Amino acid sequence: MKLCVNLQKLHFLNLKTDLEIITSKDLASQADVRLIASVYFKNSVNRYWRNRRDSTGISNEEKIHLRQKLLSHLREENYQIALQLAVIISKIARIDYPREWPELYSVLAQRLQSADVLTSHRIFMVLFRSLKELSTMRLPAHQRKFAEISSHLFEFSWQLWQNDMKTILHAFSSLGQSFTSNAPVEHQDDLYLTCERWLFCLKVVRQLIISGFQSDAKSIQEVHPVKEVCPMFLNAIQSFLPYYLSFQQRHQKFWDFTKRACTKLMKVIVSVHDRHPYSFGDNCVIMPVMEFCFNRITNPEPEIISFEEFVIQCMIMVKSILECKEYKPSLTGRVMNEKEVSMEQMKKNISTVVRDTLRSLLPDERVVLLCNILIRRFFVLTSSDLDEWYQSPESFHHEQDMVQWTEKLRPCAEALYIVLFENHSQLLGPVVVSILQEAMNGCPASETSITPGMLLKDAAYGAAGHVYYELSNYLNFKDWFDRALSLELMNDHPNMRIIHRKVALVLGQWVSEIKDDSKRQVYCALIRLLQGKDLAVKLAVCRSLCFLVEDANFSKKDFIDLLPTCWDLCFKLVEDVQEFDSKVQVLNFISVLIEHANEILPFASTLVDFFQKAWEESSGESLLQIQLLVALRNFVIALGYQSPICYNLLLPILQRGIDINSPDELNLLEDSVMLWEATLSNAPSMVPQLLGFFPSLVDIIERSFDHLQLAVNIMEGYIILGGTEFLNLHASSVAKLLDTIVANVNDRGLKSTLPVIEILIQCFPMEAPPMIAATVQRLILICLSGGDDRDPSKTVVKTSSAAILARILVTNTNYVGHITSEPSLSAALQQAGVSIRENILLSLVDMWLEKVDNATVIQQKTFGLALAIMLTLRLPQVLDKIDQILSTCTSIILRGSDDINEESSGDNMSSNLSHHKDNFPSKDSRKRQIQASDPIKQISLGTSLRDNLQVCATLHGESSFNAAISRMDPVVFAQLQKALQMTSLG
């Protein structure tokens, strides 16, 4: 124990110490100490091998020593330590190969030439780990280097694999012929080590073929090793399979190896096909593989029947070939030049050949046979399935319907069936309907015994459910429901749980075919099933009801009176189920119900109690709490202005969720922020506790901009809802938040943020600009920086920023004069490389003149009013720009932009309606009211321009003013007169 503590101290000081302990012959018997040292070494490589800003890392001399020492200790007898060393070498290789460690693979290859079985096993362990690590590096230079490694290592690895294959099969033949295990233990250990080396060698060969060659789907270059290795892999499978049964009783570890070998070989063939489909499409590969897999599925040998893992891989292989997009007819036209066939045409040619091959392998009668086998053999529940169902309904439900389809035999068969049906829907549609009809005739709705007929009907219903979209052309759902499904749902015999569960799933799958005249019946039938006792049935019902409620054609009028019962049943179901996935599924349905309920208020008290209890019981279950946060958000939205009735529950949960120092912050923050936004959007008024949450938004944004849009929406909610009280309490937080965002986000982020800055200034024209002075300066910097001529996003950002500055000038003229004269602004502009020929205000005038054509109607009027105010300032240079100013203002007036206050009438109407309907204005209606009362809309640009022209004439003198006016284009001058309804400007 003391030595272990010393190791913890030493590994931070010197990696040499760790490696000396690992390789020490004196400590050979102390495997636990050496293993700890190897783990420390590995962790240190992760932390210190690469030089970082906060660490000097390991010296080059020490790295050289450590790399050499590692390669000199490849014959490690302890497997766990050898595995750690392989991982260590792979991690170093990712960083150092090839620049610092170019000899790595040449040394490994050289050592393999004369290595014994143990050493070669360890070397292949290192090769596999390091190649796997390097294969994840995606830069072209790294991929070229990997291809170079493949060219050097492939032949040797492939030859060793074949030699080991012969050795293993010869030994297996001897073992298979003996009725007892008489071979010496040492011999069996050597043989098993050879088997394990063979497996590592297989993994290396796979890695070299998959990552050492560009996918032929991109290059259309034949990958020759595919045609060499895949037939050999198939032969190896066929050679190993007979030992699956014969070894099961007498040679357990070789039986286990046989299982792993056959499964791994088929997985490798699948991955080779996925990577190099065109090379795989050669007749010497695809034909024997497809034929072999088809036969293993439809007519398996005795040793295959119980070998589910292998049958799954055969199904995956057939599915992969059937759905391979490279083998589908191309929708593009023929592309050729005069000298050579294009790559696209080459793809078409290969695809045509492969499709012809597949048609010869799968004629119609074999497609029908495969379809029948999948439904009648693999879809049918077995006695072990029924035992599992009765013992644990929840586990059964999730294994059958939520498990990864590649992990279980029935879901895998269903996935293959779906692809087969999609490829041959016209052929298989009548076949599936025929099987369905046969099953219903063989097991009428009144049948309650668990017979082969009932199990076939369950399988047939599943088959019909999976392909509802295509099968609806051959099967009338209403007839099926009226004549069979509805009758079966009324049969309450306990054995009917088998059919009830499948009918429930079918109703969720055929949702698009449930028309208005059947919806009420379907809703009632499913609610009735939800009142039953079997959890597997109720979870299936829950999932299907979720689909039905979410459907675009969901009938609220047919469901509304069922809602109270549905609530009660869901609340009870959450308590009854034990598994995490079950609780999440039911909570998801509750959330959907809340979202689509017509009237939530009558159930509010019950829901609050439910959420309170569920939250308390979900402590430590982050994923469950996420689902609760989603449901709470829907609850708040459904309650609308009545949402304060749940604040006693909601606000404490929200406060914990938005705390970045909370242990669950990483998991709950996003959904908590979404709930925060919904709470503000539906709050009738600001309450003190909610008001106090705002500083948390600063903490969240300072950590990352992942939730920027939500943060902007929340800030807008506080501005609109909190008013002056909010601003007085959190002015510094608002300033800090806006400055952090504007200073650091990209144009997309700015586009999201600028509207909330505008509404802040709109609500508080005198208080806000000085409060957010740093942000205003940054907006000036954005406006006066160049580089948006060809970038629409930058143009929008500059235009919006310019409009905000124009608004400040209109509503708080003195402040603009103050901030543009600040030395800090001039320094910032100079630091950013922005040169100002005249003063900053005149540069902004140029920006307003430039961006007016990119602006919205309200922005155009804001620009016009700002330009009109510029006429009243004591800046002689204004007269030099007066023709442009007047021309722009005239254009805005004549376009009708000066009359936008009329637009607010519609807003006022909708706002008043909203206020009348809910007794409280929503956030959106408050926002419309603010926009309707916008001073920019109330001020007349024509009047302002006329008055300001007179001020301008007085400021600069009649002669200078008239001289400037006389330089105007006569046509523009005439338009100005028309706009101002004046006959003279003297």
Side-chain angles (χ1 to χ4, degrees), residues 39-67:
V39 172
Y40 288 158
F41 192 109
K42 178 184 68 176
N43 293 339
S44 296
V45 168
N46 289 335
R47 294 171 187 167
Y48 307 120
W49 198 271
R50 196 190 300 272
N51 291 333
R52 302 181 187 277
R53 288 179 300 173
D54 58 346
S55 171
T56 57
I58 305 165
S59 69
N60 288 332
E61 293 75 14
E62 187 175 359
K63 287 181 179 179
I64 293 170
H65 168 78
L66 293 172
R67 290 194 296 256

PDB file of all heavy atoms in Angstrom, residues 39-67:
ATOM      1  N   VAL A  39      -1.175   2.397 -15.477  1.00  0.00           N
ATOM      2  CA  VAL A  39      -2.323   3.310 -15.559  1.00  0.00           C
ATOM      3  C   VAL A  39      -1.866   4.750 -15.333  1.00  0.00           C
ATOM      4  O   VAL A  39      -2.287   5.675 -16.046  1.00  0.00           O
ATOM      5  CB  VAL A  39      -3.399   2.909 -14.527  1.00  0.00           C
ATOM      6  CG1 VAL A  39      -4.505   3.970 -14.470  1.00  0.00           C
ATOM      7  CG2 VAL A  39      -3.997   1.554 -14.870  1.00  0.00           C
ATOM      8  N   TYR A  40      -0.980   4.967 -14.349  1.00  0.00           N
ATOM      9  CA  TYR A  40      -0.434   6.295 -14.113  1.00  0.00           C
ATOM     10  C   TYR A  40       0.326   6.801 -15.338  1.00  0.00           C
ATOM     11  O   TYR A  40       0.222   7.971 -15.719  1.00  0.00           O
ATOM     12  CB  TYR A  40       0.503   6.281 -12.902  1.00  0.00           C
ATOM     13  CG  TYR A  40      -0.194   6.146 -11.569  1.00  0.00           C
ATOM     14  CD1 TYR A  40       0.494   5.675 -10.451  1.00  0.00           C
ATOM     15  CD2 TYR A  40      -1.530   6.501 -11.427  1.00  0.00           C
ATOM     16  CE1 TYR A  40      -0.153   5.551  -9.222  1.00  0.00           C
ATOM     17  CE2 TYR A  40      -2.173   6.381 -10.207  1.00  0.00           C
ATOM     18  CZ  TYR A  40      -1.482   5.908  -9.114  1.00  0.00           C
ATOM     19  OH  TYR A  40      -2.119   5.787  -7.909  1.00  0.00           O
ATOM     20  N   PHE A  41       1.093   5.912 -15.944  1.00  0.00           N
ATOM     21  CA  PHE A  41       1.845   6.284 -17.148  1.00  0.00           C
ATOM     22  C   PHE A  41       0.886   6.741 -18.244  1.00  0.00           C
ATOM     23  O   PHE A  41       1.091   7.776 -18.883  1.00  0.00           O
ATOM     24  CB  PHE A  41       2.687   5.088 -17.609  1.00  0.00           C
ATOM     25  CG  PHE A  41       3.702   5.421 -18.658  1.00  0.00           C
ATOM     26  CD1 PHE A  41       5.062   5.425 -18.351  1.00  0.00           C
ATOM     27  CD2 PHE A  41       3.327   5.720 -19.965  1.00  0.00           C
ATOM     28  CE1 PHE A  41       6.012   5.725 -19.316  1.00  0.00           C
ATOM     29  CE2 PHE A  41       4.263   6.015 -20.935  1.00  0.00           C
ATOM     30  CZ  PHE A  41       5.601   6.025 -20.617  1.00  0.00           C
ATOM     31  N   LYS A  42      -0.168   5.959 -18.454  1.00  0.00           N
ATOM     32  CA  LYS A  42      -1.153   6.301 -19.500  1.00  0.00           C
ATOM     33  C   LYS A  42      -1.791   7.665 -19.226  1.00  0.00           C
ATOM     34  O   LYS A  42      -1.916   8.501 -20.133  1.00  0.00           O
ATOM     35  CB  LYS A  42      -2.232   5.220 -19.560  1.00  0.00           C
ATOM     36  CG  LYS A  42      -3.326   5.491 -20.581  1.00  0.00           C
ATOM     37  CD  LYS A  42      -4.409   4.429 -20.533  1.00  0.00           C
ATOM     38  CE  LYS A  42      -5.205   4.507 -19.245  1.00  0.00           C
ATOM     39  NZ  LYS A  42      -6.330   3.535 -19.220  1.00  0.00           N
ATOM     40  N   ASN A  43      -2.193   7.902 -17.992  1.00  0.00           N
ATOM     41  CA  ASN A  43      -2.810   9.183 -17.642  1.00  0.00           C
ATOM     42  C   ASN A  43      -1.835  10.341 -17.821  1.00  0.00           C
ATOM     43  O   ASN A  43      -2.217  11.444 -18.238  1.00  0.00           O
ATOM     44  CB  ASN A  43      -3.318   9.144 -16.204  1.00  0.00           C
ATOM     45  CG  ASN A  43      -4.470   8.173 -16.024  1.00  0.00           C
ATOM     46  OD1 ASN A  43      -5.140   7.811 -16.987  1.00  0.00           O
ATOM     47  ND2 ASN A  43      -4.694   7.734 -14.797  1.00  0.00           N
ATOM     48  N   SER A  44      -0.578  10.104 -17.527  1.00  0.00           N
ATOM     49  CA  SER A  44       0.428  11.152 -17.689  1.00  0.00           C
ATOM     50  C   SER A  44       0.665  11.481 -19.151  1.00  0.00           C
ATOM     51  O   SER A  44       0.915  12.640 -19.507  1.00  0.00           O
ATOM     52  CB  SER A  44       1.737  10.725 -17.022  1.00  0.00           C
ATOM     53  OG  SER A  44       1.563  10.583 -15.624  1.00  0.00           O
ATOM     54  N   VAL A  45       0.591  10.469 -20.008  1.00  0.00           N
ATOM     55  CA  VAL A  45       0.714  10.722 -21.451  1.00  0.00           C
ATOM     56  C   VAL A  45      -0.402  11.645 -21.908  1.00  0.00           C
ATOM     57  O   VAL A  45      -0.182  12.602 -22.665  1.00  0.00           O
ATOM     58  CB  VAL A  45       0.694   9.394 -22.237  1.00  0.00           C
ATOM     59  CG1 VAL A  45       0.526   9.663 -23.736  1.00  0.00           C
ATOM     60  CG2 VAL A  45       1.968   8.608 -21.984  1.00  0.00           C
ATOM     61  N   ASN A  46      -1.618  11.376 -21.427  1.00  0.00           N
ATOM     62  CA  ASN A  46      -2.756  12.230 -21.790  1.00  0.00           C
ATOM     63  C   ASN A  46      -2.526  13.674 -21.369  1.00  0.00           C
ATOM     64  O   ASN A  46      -2.880  14.610 -22.089  1.00  0.00           O
ATOM     65  CB  ASN A  46      -4.034  11.712 -21.135  1.00  0.00           C
ATOM     66  CG  ASN A  46      -4.532  10.422 -21.748  1.00  0.00           C
ATOM     67  OD1 ASN A  46      -4.233  10.135 -22.909  1.00  0.00           O
ATOM     68  ND2 ASN A  46      -5.257   9.622 -20.989  1.00  0.00           N
ATOM     69  N   ARG A  47      -1.905  13.851 -20.197  1.00  0.00           N
ATOM     70  CA  ARG A  47      -1.814  15.194 -19.624  1.00  0.00           C
ATOM     71  C   ARG A  47      -0.564  15.947 -20.047  1.00  0.00           C
ATOM     72  O   ARG A  47      -0.605  17.157 -20.236  1.00  0.00           O
ATOM     73  CB  ARG A  47      -1.847  15.098 -18.092  1.00  0.00           C
ATOM     74  CG  ARG A  47      -3.163  14.587 -17.540  1.00  0.00           C
ATOM     75  CD  ARG A  47      -3.049  14.311 -16.047  1.00  0.00           C
ATOM     76  NE  ARG A  47      -4.247  13.659 -15.528  1.00  0.00           N
ATOM     77  CZ  ARG A  47      -4.329  13.087 -14.335  1.00  0.00           C
ATOM     78  NH1 ARG A  47      -3.276  13.078 -13.542  1.00  0.00           N
ATOM     79  NH2 ARG A  47      -5.441  12.525 -13.921  1.00  0.00           N
ATOM     80  N   TYR A  48       0.556  15.226 -20.144  1.00  0.00           N
ATOM     81  CA  TYR A  48       1.833  15.932 -20.229  1.00  0.00           C
ATOM     82  C   TYR A  48       2.636  15.688 -21.505  1.00  0.00           C
ATOM     83  O   TYR A  48       3.640  16.356 -21.711  1.00  0.00           O
ATOM     84  CB  TYR A  48       2.719  15.541 -19.025  1.00  0.00           C
ATOM     85  CG  TYR A  48       2.048  15.728 -17.697  1.00  0.00           C
ATOM     86  CD1 TYR A  48       1.845  14.652 -16.832  1.00  0.00           C
ATOM     87  CD2 TYR A  48       1.597  16.986 -17.296  1.00  0.00           C
ATOM     88  CE1 TYR A  48       1.219  14.822 -15.609  1.00  0.00           C
ATOM     89  CE2 TYR A  48       0.972  17.162 -16.075  1.00  0.00           C
ATOM     90  CZ  TYR A  48       0.780  16.081 -15.233  1.00  0.00           C
ATOM     91  OH  TYR A  48       0.165  16.253 -14.024  1.00  0.00           O
ATOM     92  N   TRP A  49       2.232  14.725 -22.341  1.00  0.00           N
ATOM     93  CA  TRP A  49       3.090  14.412 -23.490  1.00  0.00           C
ATOM     94  C   TRP A  49       3.128  15.570 -24.487  1.00  0.00           C
ATOM     95  O   TRP A  49       4.165  15.945 -25.008  1.00  0.00           O
ATOM     96  CB  TRP A  49       2.619  13.134 -24.178  1.00  0.00           C
ATOM     97  CG  TRP A  49       3.687  12.546 -25.068  1.00  0.00           C
ATOM     98  CD1 TRP A  49       3.919  12.831 -26.381  1.00  0.00           C
ATOM     99  CD2 TRP A  49       4.689  11.601 -24.682  1.00  0.00           C
ATOM    100  NE1 TRP A  49       4.978  12.117 -26.848  1.00  0.00           N
ATOM    101  CE2 TRP A  49       5.486  11.350 -25.824  1.00  0.00           C
ATOM    102  CE3 TRP A  49       4.988  10.944 -23.496  1.00  0.00           C
ATOM    103  CZ2 TRP A  49       6.555  10.463 -25.820  1.00  0.00           C
ATOM    104  CZ3 TRP A  49       6.049  10.051 -23.490  1.00  0.00           C
ATOM    105  CH2 TRP A  49       6.826   9.832 -24.632  1.00  0.00           C
ATOM    106  N   ARG A  50       1.985  16.129 -24.736  1.00  0.00           N
ATOM    107  CA  ARG A  50       1.925  17.259 -25.675  1.00  0.00           C
ATOM    108  C   ARG A  50       2.204  18.555 -24.911  1.00  0.00           C
ATOM    109  O   ARG A  50       1.603  18.800 -23.869  1.00  0.00           O
ATOM    110  CB  ARG A  50       0.552  17.333 -26.334  1.00  0.00           C
ATOM    111  CG  ARG A  50       0.499  18.201 -27.578  1.00  0.00           C
ATOM    112  CD  ARG A  50      -0.938  18.399 -28.018  1.00  0.00           C
ATOM    113  NE  ARG A  50      -1.617  17.159 -28.334  1.00  0.00           N
ATOM    114  CZ  ARG A  50      -1.604  16.595 -29.541  1.00  0.00           C
ATOM    115  NH1 ARG A  50      -0.931  17.159 -30.533  1.00  0.00           N
ATOM    116  NH2 ARG A  50      -2.248  15.466 -29.761  1.00  0.00           N
ATOM    117  N   ASN A  51       3.109  19.381 -25.422  1.00  0.00           N
ATOM    118  CA  ASN A  51       3.420  20.657 -24.765  1.00  0.00           C
ATOM    119  C   ASN A  51       2.214  21.580 -24.798  1.00  0.00           C
ATOM    120  O   ASN A  51       1.577  21.738 -25.839  1.00  0.00           O
ATOM    121  CB  ASN A  51       4.606  21.341 -25.458  1.00  0.00           C
ATOM    122  CG  ASN A  51       5.894  20.593 -25.241  1.00  0.00           C
ATOM    123  OD1 ASN A  51       6.056  19.903 -24.236  1.00  0.00           O
ATOM    124  ND2 ASN A  51       6.837  20.714 -26.170  1.00  0.00           N
ATOM    125  N   ARG A  52       1.922  22.176 -23.666  1.00  0.00           N
ATOM    126  CA  ARG A  52       0.775  23.070 -23.561  1.00  0.00           C
ATOM    127  C   ARG A  52       1.219  24.405 -22.982  1.00  0.00           C
ATOM    128  O   ARG A  52       2.302  24.528 -22.423  1.00  0.00           O
ATOM    129  CB  ARG A  52      -0.307  22.453 -22.673  1.00  0.00           C
ATOM    130  CG  ARG A  52      -0.793  21.089 -23.165  1.00  0.00           C
ATOM    131  CD  ARG A  52      -1.887  20.540 -22.260  1.00  0.00           C
ATOM    132  NE  ARG A  52      -2.260  19.182 -22.601  1.00  0.00           N
ATOM    133  CZ  ARG A  52      -3.120  18.869 -23.570  1.00  0.00           C
ATOM    134  NH1 ARG A  52      -3.686  19.818 -24.279  1.00  0.00           N
ATOM    135  NH2 ARG A  52      -3.408  17.602 -23.832  1.00  0.00           N
ATOM    136  N   ARG A  53       0.324  25.365 -23.089  1.00  0.00           N
ATOM    137  CA  ARG A  53       0.656  26.698 -22.570  1.00  0.00           C
ATOM    138  C   ARG A  53       0.867  26.679 -21.064  1.00  0.00           C
ATOM    139  O   ARG A  53       1.699  27.394 -20.528  1.00  0.00           O
ATOM    140  CB  ARG A  53      -0.476  27.689 -22.905  1.00  0.00           C
ATOM    141  CG  ARG A  53      -0.555  28.078 -24.370  1.00  0.00           C
ATOM    142  CD  ARG A  53      -1.705  29.025 -24.602  1.00  0.00           C
ATOM    143  NE  ARG A  53      -2.975  28.416 -24.223  1.00  0.00           N
ATOM    144  CZ  ARG A  53      -4.133  29.082 -24.205  1.00  0.00           C
ATOM    145  NH1 ARG A  53      -4.157  30.356 -24.506  1.00  0.00           N
ATOM    146  NH2 ARG A  53      -5.256  28.466 -23.876  1.00  0.00           N
ATOM    147  N   ASP A  54       0.083  25.828 -20.370  1.00  0.00           N
ATOM    148  CA  ASP A  54       0.175  25.812 -18.918  1.00  0.00           C
ATOM    149  C   ASP A  54       1.132  24.752 -18.392  1.00  0.00           C
ATOM    150  O   ASP A  54       1.170  24.476 -17.200  1.00  0.00           O
ATOM    151  CB  ASP A  54      -1.219  25.583 -18.314  1.00  0.00           C
ATOM    152  CG  ASP A  54      -1.844  24.282 -18.811  1.00  0.00           C
ATOM    153  OD1 ASP A  54      -1.321  23.719 -19.790  1.00  0.00           O
ATOM    154  OD2 ASP A  54      -2.847  23.841 -18.217  1.00  0.00           O
ATOM    155  N   SER A  55       1.883  24.103 -19.295  1.00  0.00           N
ATOM    156  CA  SER A  55       2.801  23.053 -18.856  1.00  0.00           C
ATOM    157  C   SER A  55       3.949  22.944 -19.840  1.00  0.00           C
ATOM    158  O   SER A  55       3.754  23.010 -21.047  1.00  0.00           O
ATOM    159  CB  SER A  55       2.056  21.716 -18.762  1.00  0.00           C
ATOM    160  OG  SER A  55       2.958  20.657 -18.548  1.00  0.00           O
ATOM    161  N   THR A  56       5.151  22.766 -19.312  1.00  0.00           N
ATOM    162  CA  THR A  56       6.318  22.601 -20.198  1.00  0.00           C
ATOM    163  C   THR A  56       6.350  21.214 -20.825  1.00  0.00           C
ATOM    164  O   THR A  56       7.069  20.978 -21.780  1.00  0.00           O
ATOM    165  CB  THR A  56       7.607  22.821 -19.408  1.00  0.00           C
ATOM    166  OG1 THR A  56       7.632  21.903 -18.288  1.00  0.00           O
ATOM    167  CG2 THR A  56       7.699  24.242 -18.887  1.00  0.00           C
ATOM    168  N   GLY A  57       5.543  20.292 -20.271  1.00  0.00           N
ATOM    169  CA  GLY A  57       5.500  18.957 -20.831  1.00  0.00           C
ATOM    170  C   GLY A  57       6.754  18.160 -20.528  1.00  0.00           C
ATOM    171  O   GLY A  57       7.491  18.429 -19.587  1.00  0.00           O
ATOM    172  N   ILE A  58       7.001  17.153 -21.367  1.00  0.00           N
ATOM    173  CA  ILE A  58       8.125  16.244 -21.180  1.00  0.00           C
ATOM    174  C   ILE A  58       9.208  16.617 -22.179  1.00  0.00           C
ATOM    175  O   ILE A  58       8.921  16.930 -23.339  1.00  0.00           O
ATOM    176  CB  ILE A  58       7.667  14.790 -21.389  1.00  0.00           C
ATOM    177  CG1 ILE A  58       6.472  14.483 -20.467  1.00  0.00           C
ATOM    178  CG2 ILE A  58       8.791  13.806 -21.138  1.00  0.00           C
ATOM    179  CD1 ILE A  58       5.730  13.230 -20.836  1.00  0.00           C
ATOM    180  N   SER A  59      10.464  16.560 -21.747  1.00  0.00           N
ATOM    181  CA  SER A  59      11.570  16.935 -22.643  1.00  0.00           C
ATOM    182  C   SER A  59      11.693  15.939 -23.779  1.00  0.00           C
ATOM    183  O   SER A  59      11.302  14.765 -23.663  1.00  0.00           O
ATOM    184  CB  SER A  59      12.888  16.986 -21.860  1.00  0.00           C
ATOM    185  OG  SER A  59      13.269  15.669 -21.463  1.00  0.00           O
ATOM    186  N   ASN A  60      12.257  16.387 -24.912  1.00  0.00           N
ATOM    187  CA  ASN A  60      12.439  15.514 -26.079  1.00  0.00           C
ATOM    188  C   ASN A  60      13.344  14.330 -25.745  1.00  0.00           C
ATOM    189  O   ASN A  60      13.125  13.209 -26.228  1.00  0.00           O
ATOM    190  CB  ASN A  60      13.017  16.315 -27.244  1.00  0.00           C
ATOM    191  CG  ASN A  60      11.985  17.252 -27.843  1.00  0.00           C
ATOM    192  OD1 ASN A  60      10.784  16.981 -27.793  1.00  0.00           O
ATOM    193  ND2 ASN A  60      12.440  18.354 -28.408  1.00  0.00           N
ATOM    194  N   GLU A  61      14.391  14.571 -24.933  1.00  0.00           N
ATOM    195  CA  GLU A  61      15.296  13.483 -24.572  1.00  0.00           C
ATOM    196  C   GLU A  61      14.569  12.396 -23.799  1.00  0.00           C
ATOM    197  O   GLU A  61      14.775  11.198 -24.035  1.00  0.00           O
ATOM    198  CB  GLU A  61      16.462  14.027 -23.726  1.00  0.00           C
ATOM    199  CG  GLU A  61      17.410  14.957 -24.459  1.00  0.00           C
ATOM    200  CD  GLU A  61      16.833  16.350 -24.683  1.00  0.00           C
ATOM    201  OE1 GLU A  61      15.792  16.670 -24.028  1.00  0.00           O
ATOM    202  OE2 GLU A  61      17.377  17.111 -25.505  1.00  0.00           O
ATOM    203  N   GLU A  62      13.708  12.830 -22.889  1.00  0.00           N
ATOM    204  CA  GLU A  62      12.963  11.845 -22.108  1.00  0.00           C
ATOM    205  C   GLU A  62      11.971  11.093 -22.993  1.00  0.00           C
ATOM    206  O   GLU A  62      11.777   9.883 -22.847  1.00  0.00           O
ATOM    207  CB  GLU A  62      12.230  12.531 -20.953  1.00  0.00           C
ATOM    208  CG  GLU A  62      11.575  11.536 -19.997  1.00  0.00           C
ATOM    209  CD  GLU A  62      10.947  12.205 -18.790  1.00  0.00           C
ATOM    210  OE1 GLU A  62      11.028  13.439 -18.678  1.00  0.00           O
ATOM    211  OE2 GLU A  62      10.388  11.486 -17.955  1.00  0.00           O
ATOM    212  N   LYS A  63      11.349  11.792 -23.938  1.00  0.00           N
ATOM    213  CA  LYS A  63      10.414  11.130 -24.850  1.00  0.00           C
ATOM    214  C   LYS A  63      11.115  10.048 -25.668  1.00  0.00           C
ATOM    215  O   LYS A  63      10.585   8.947 -25.854  1.00  0.00           O
ATOM    216  CB  LYS A  63       9.771  12.164 -25.790  1.00  0.00           C
ATOM    217  CG  LYS A  63       8.747  13.057 -25.123  1.00  0.00           C
ATOM    218  CD  LYS A  63       8.155  14.025 -26.140  1.00  0.00           C
ATOM    219  CE  LYS A  63       7.110  14.922 -25.495  1.00  0.00           C
ATOM    220  NZ  LYS A  63       6.542  15.893 -26.463  1.00  0.00           N
ATOM    221  N   ILE A  64      12.325  10.368 -26.174  1.00  0.00           N
ATOM    222  CA  ILE A  64      13.085   9.385 -26.964  1.00  0.00           C
ATOM    223  C   ILE A  64      13.357   8.142 -26.122  1.00  0.00           C
ATOM    224  O   ILE A  64      13.162   7.005 -26.557  1.00  0.00           O
ATOM    225  CB  ILE A  64      14.393  10.009 -27.481  1.00  0.00           C
ATOM    226  CG1 ILE A  64      14.081  11.096 -28.505  1.00  0.00           C
ATOM    227  CG2 ILE A  64      15.297   8.931 -28.086  1.00  0.00           C
ATOM    228  CD1 ILE A  64      15.285  11.937 -28.898  1.00  0.00           C
ATOM    229  N   HIS A  65      13.813   8.369 -24.893  1.00  0.00           N
ATOM    230  CA  HIS A  65      14.114   7.244 -23.999  1.00  0.00           C
ATOM    231  C   HIS A  65      12.866   6.398 -23.750  1.00  0.00           C
ATOM    232  O   HIS A  65      12.919   5.153 -23.802  1.00  0.00           O
ATOM    233  CB  HIS A  65      14.664   7.765 -22.674  1.00  0.00           C
ATOM    234  CG  HIS A  65      14.727   6.714 -21.606  1.00  0.00           C
ATOM    235  ND1 HIS A  65      15.720   5.760 -21.573  1.00  0.00           N
ATOM    236  CD2 HIS A  65      13.896   6.468 -20.539  1.00  0.00           C
ATOM    237  CE1 HIS A  65      15.509   4.961 -20.539  1.00  0.00           C
ATOM    238  NE2 HIS A  65      14.415   5.378 -19.886  1.00  0.00           N
ATOM    239  N   LEU A  66      11.741   7.054 -23.480  1.00  0.00           N
ATOM    240  CA  LEU A  66      10.510   6.334 -23.152  1.00  0.00           C
ATOM    241  C   LEU A  66       9.999   5.543 -24.351  1.00  0.00           C
ATOM    242  O   LEU A  66       9.551   4.399 -24.201  1.00  0.00           O
ATOM    243  CB  LEU A  66       9.445   7.322 -22.669  1.00  0.00           C
ATOM    244  CG  LEU A  66       9.721   8.018 -21.332  1.00  0.00           C
ATOM    245  CD1 LEU A  66       8.699   9.110 -21.069  1.00  0.00           C
ATOM    246  CD2 LEU A  66       9.732   7.014 -20.191  1.00  0.00           C
ATOM    247  N   ARG A  67      10.061   6.120 -25.538  1.00  0.00           N
ATOM    248  CA  ARG A  67       9.604   5.400 -26.735  1.00  0.00           C
ATOM    249  C   ARG A  67      10.453   4.156 -26.978  1.00  0.00           C
ATOM    250  O   ARG A  67       9.936   3.079 -27.301  1.00  0.00           O
ATOM    251  CB  ARG A  67       9.635   6.335 -27.952  1.00  0.00           C
ATOM    252  CG  ARG A  67       8.577   7.430 -27.921  1.00  0.00           C
ATOM    253  CD  ARG A  67       8.435   8.100 -29.269  1.00  0.00           C
ATOM    254  NE  ARG A  67       9.653   8.785 -29.665  1.00  0.00           N
ATOM    255  CZ  ARG A  67       9.842  10.104 -29.623  1.00  0.00           C
ATOM    256  NH1 ARG A  67       8.867  10.885 -29.172  1.00  0.00           N
ATOM    257  NH2 ARG A  67      10.969  10.643 -30.026  1.00  0.00           N
TER     258      ARG A  67
END
